[in-house]
């Protein structure tokens, strides 16, 4: 039951002397990993989570959560109603899970006593050592918290907070789309509250406060922020302050939610620029480090590092200038990596290298997202596809047609 804990820096551009800027990752033995995998399969048969939870679930992803949020906001904006979105940050959520509460919740879900007993014995007898370079700390035991890096840890944490999602979704406040209550969306410990009014957000926050207090969780109010997705031509004033644990929550015009930059006007230009900058950094790194490799190796690296275009499938409202800037960056990255002439034909160079061009990547990502959303049983995602009149669904289809004609 011995585990090595390795601190990993969260933000490399932040203060590396700040202990809060590190995430402890547990490295278990091979036998422990096998046992963890078996237990995770067993838990899957008994733990059924609320549809508002998108984290660490098959068929769902960060893109799915962002899509659910953007679709809900667009639904209200099309009807002339603004949406308040409050983004909550739990401090060290995985490390504050109370074992007594977790074991009780496992029993309430009908998980066999044998499986619960294995977890209780494992966590009760686990010995941890922190490793820093070549130094190893004195052994210590955990009094709370699930192991970060463990296979069962995400599922156990989702179980720990699932009752909060059920309670929030059962309230008659917040956003609702086609009869489906969508007043909260979570990806593990990242939660956003949605309501067409500040009063509704206030009621949802009170429920979150009470749940956190009863379960030993803490919100970092300094990192909690809220946005107001305004309706064009109906801009409001500052509005009332939102309060969490007695402290006001800051209002922002942009927020980075699960790596995707959201703007108050719901336009995607700021997120496209984020991806353009990230692509420039990755392509420059490849060009500098792998200059002497063969072309085939460079093409493989390009596909792995430059074709991800994170959340590119969600871009539906942007200017041509923004997308063209990203496309040019994508083409130039390939030219620099393979040392091709600056003004050579983009379509020709990608064809010769048997590599997808920019619009092909966008089209494939959009088609993949639509297929996953259409095949999903998640009630929130079903609101996107059940009606062909869904604004965001129509934009996806229209963009597929446009990018196909440009190829």
């Amino acid at each position: 039951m011995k585990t090595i804990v390795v601190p990993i820096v969260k933000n490399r551009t932040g203060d590396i002397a700040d202990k809060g800027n590190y995430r402890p990752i547990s490295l278990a033995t091979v036998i422990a990993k096998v046992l963890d995998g078996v237990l995770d399969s067993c838990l899957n048969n008994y733990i059924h989570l609320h549809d508002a939870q998108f984290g660490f679930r098959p068929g769902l992803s960060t893109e799915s959560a962002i899509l659910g949020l953007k679709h809900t906001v667009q639904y209200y904006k099309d009807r002339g109603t603004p949406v308040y979105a409050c983004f909550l940050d739990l401090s060290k959520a995985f490390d504050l899970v109370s074992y007594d509460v977790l074991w009780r919740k496992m029993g309430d879900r009908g998980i066999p006593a044998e499986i619960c007993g294995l977890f209780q014995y494992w966590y009760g007898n686990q010995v941890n050592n922190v490793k820093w370079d070549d130094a190893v700390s004195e052994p210590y035991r955990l009094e709370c918290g699930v192991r970060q890096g463990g296979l069962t840890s995400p599922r156990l944490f989702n179980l720990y907070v699932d009752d909060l999602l059920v309670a929030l979704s059962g309230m008659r406040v917040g956003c609702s789309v086609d009869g489906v209550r969508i007043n909260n969306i979570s990806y593990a410990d990242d939660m956003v509250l949605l309501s067409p009014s500040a009063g509704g957000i206030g009621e949802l926050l009170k429920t979150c406060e009470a749940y956190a207090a009863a379960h030993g969780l803490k919100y970092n109010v300094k990192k909690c922020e809220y946005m107001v997705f305004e309706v064009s031509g109906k801009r409001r004033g500052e509005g009332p302050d939102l309060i969490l644990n007695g402290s006001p929550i800051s209002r922002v015009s942009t927020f980075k939610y699960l790596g995707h930059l959201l703007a108050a006007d719901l336009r995607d230009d700021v997120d496209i620029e984020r991806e353009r900058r990230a692509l420039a950094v990755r392509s420059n790194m490849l060009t500098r480090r792998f200059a002497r490799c063969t072309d085939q190796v460079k093409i493989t690296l390009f596909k792995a590092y430059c074709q991800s275009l994170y959340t590119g499938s969600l871009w539906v409202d942007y200017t041509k200038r923004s997308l063209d800037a990203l496309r040019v960056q994508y083409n130039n990255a390939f030219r620099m990596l393979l040392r091709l002439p600056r003004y050579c034909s983009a379509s020709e160079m990608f064809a010769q290298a048997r590599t997808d061009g920019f619009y092909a990547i966008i089209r494939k990502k959009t088609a993949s997202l639509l297929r996953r959303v259409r095949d999903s049983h998640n009630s929130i995602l079903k609101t996107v596809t059940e009606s062909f009149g869904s604004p965001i669904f129509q934009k996806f289809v229209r963009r597929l047609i446009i990018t196909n004609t440009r190829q």
Side-chain angles (χ1 to χ4, degrees):
M1 296 298 177
K2 185 177 181 180
T3 300
I4 298 296
V5 179
V6 180
I8 303 296
V9 178
K10 292 181 181 179
N11 182 12
R12 295 185 181 276
T13 61
D15 183 9
I16 60 174
D18 180 13
K19 65 179 181 180
N21 194 28
Y22 288 85
R23 177 180 288 107
I25 301 298
S26 300
L27 304 179
T29 63
V30 175
I31 296 298
K33 290 181 180 179
V34 172
L35 175 61
D36 213 14
V38 173
L39 291 175
D40 188 55
S41 299
C42 294
L43 291 177
N44 187 46
N45 298 324
Y46 297 96
I47 298 179
H48 303 287
L49 303 172
H50 193 275
D51 281 350
Q53 178 61 263
F54 287 80
F56 306 104
R57 302 184 66 183
L60 300 176
S61 63
T62 54
E63 286 188 334
S64 304
I66 299 167
L67 174 60
L69 187 156
K70 297 182 75 172
H71 171 63
T72 303
V73 173
Q74 189 66 58
Y75 178 89
Y76 274 81
K77 288 188 66 175
D78 288 343
R79 287 157 177 77
T81 304
V83 174
Y84 288 75
C86 184
F87 303 91
L88 302 181
D89 181 85
L90 281 170
S91 298
K92 301 179 180 179
F94 277 60
D95 299 329
L96 295 178
V97 172
S98 170
Y99 292 147
D100 291 338
V101 177
L102 179 60
W103 308 146
R104 186 179 72 247
K105 288 180 178 292
M106 292 176 67
D108 293 342
R109 293 297 178 100
I111 298 175
E114 294 81 4
I115 296 178
C116 295
L118 278 172
F119 277 107
Q120 292 179 38
Y121 180 84
W122 192 346
Y123 277 94
N125 293 274
Q126 178 175 282
V127 178
N128 300 274
N129 297 84
V130 177
K131 184 177 181 181
W132 183 267
D133 282 339
D134 295 328
V136 179
S137 72
E138 293 294 324
Y140 66 94
R141 296 180 183 274
L142 291 178
E143 297 181 359
C144 61
V146 293
R147 296 176 298 108
Q148 295 216 33
L151 294 175
T152 55
S153 298
R155 200 181 300 275
L156 291 175
F157 179 79
N158 284 347
L159 170 63
Y160 195 77
V161 298
D162 190 59
D163 288 337
L164 172 60
L165 276 59
V166 173
L168 291 171
S169 300
M171 299 174 65
R172 303 188 67 177
V173 296
C175 293
S176 180
V177 178
D178 296 332
V180 178
R181 183 68 61 185
I182 313 178
N183 58 10
N184 72 99
I185 294 176
S186 292
Y187 193 92
D189 57 338
D190 288 306
M191 175 181 284
V192 55
L193 305 177
L194 300 171
S195 175
S197 67
I201 290 290
E203 292 188 41
L204 295 173
L205 285 173
K206 291 178 181 178
T207 300
C208 292
E209 288 179 2
Y211 192 90
H215 290 75
L217 300 175
K218 298 179 181 179
Y219 286 106
N220 186 347
V221 183
K222 293 182 179 179
K223 292 186 178 180
C224 295
E225 296 175 328
Y226 81 96
M227 294 176 60
V228 181
F229 294 95
E230 302 276 6
V231 177
S232 179
K234 296 184 179 180
R235 184 171 178 80
R236 301 185 177 186
E238 290 299 319
D241 291 332
L242 298 180
I243 305 298
L244 177 63
N245 292 332
S247 300
I249 301 176
S250 301
R251 178 176 175 176
V252 295
S253 57
T254 59
F255 185 84
K256 196 170 188 179
Y257 177 62
L258 302 177
H260 178 88
L261 272 176
L262 289 167
D265 57 3
L266 212 61
R267 295 184 64 85
D268 297 307
D269 298 272
V270 290
D271 192 62
I272 293 175
E273 176 61 17
R274 170 202 59 79
E275 185 59 26
R276 189 196 68 77
R277 291 174 180 270
L279 177 59
V281 172
R282 294 195 298 268
S283 62
N284 289 335
M285 179 271 294
L286 293 178
T287 302
R288 183 176 65 255
R289 295 187 179 181
F290 302 96
R292 298 184 180 182
C293 293
T294 64
D295 286 353
Q296 191 56 51
V297 170
K298 291 179 179 179
I299 292 172
T300 301
L301 290 170
F302 180 83
K303 291 180 179 179
Y305 286 91
C306 299
Q307 290 189 340
S308 59
L309 299 181
Y310 178 64
T311 68
S313 56
L314 298 173
W315 299 332
V316 295
D317 192 2
Y318 49 82
T319 61
K320 183 177 182 297
R321 180 179 180 180
S322 297
L323 196 66
D324 283 346
L326 179 59
R327 176 181 57 82
V328 170
Q329 184 71 58
Y330 179 87
N331 294 344
N332 287 341
F334 192 77
R335 290 189 182 102
M336 288 190 302
L337 187 60
L338 271 71
R339 296 184 178 181
L340 298 173
R342 182 178 180 182
Y343 296 105
C344 67
S345 170
S347 57
E348 182 180 354
M349 70 180 183
F350 286 125
Q352 291 179 352
R354 298 178 182 273
T355 303
D356 287 330
F358 178 76
Y359 287 117
I361 293 295
I362 292 294
R363 187 177 68 251
K364 287 183 177 181
K365 289 179 66 67
T366 302
S368 174
L369 177 64
L370 284 176
R371 177 184 57 78
R372 285 182 279 123
V373 171
R374 183 193 60 195
D375 295 340
S376 176
H377 297 291
N378 184 279
S379 60
I380 295 176
L381 295 183
K382 280 185 177 181
T383 63
V384 180
T385 57
E386 281 188 346
S387 172
F388 287 106
S390 168
I392 202 165
F393 184 84
Q394 289 182 343
K395 290 178 180 180
F396 280 156
V397 174
R398 185 162 59 250
R399 195 177 71 184
L400 275 175
I401 296 172
I402 293 174
T403 54
N404 188 45
T405 58
R406 287 178 176 174
Q407 278 300 104

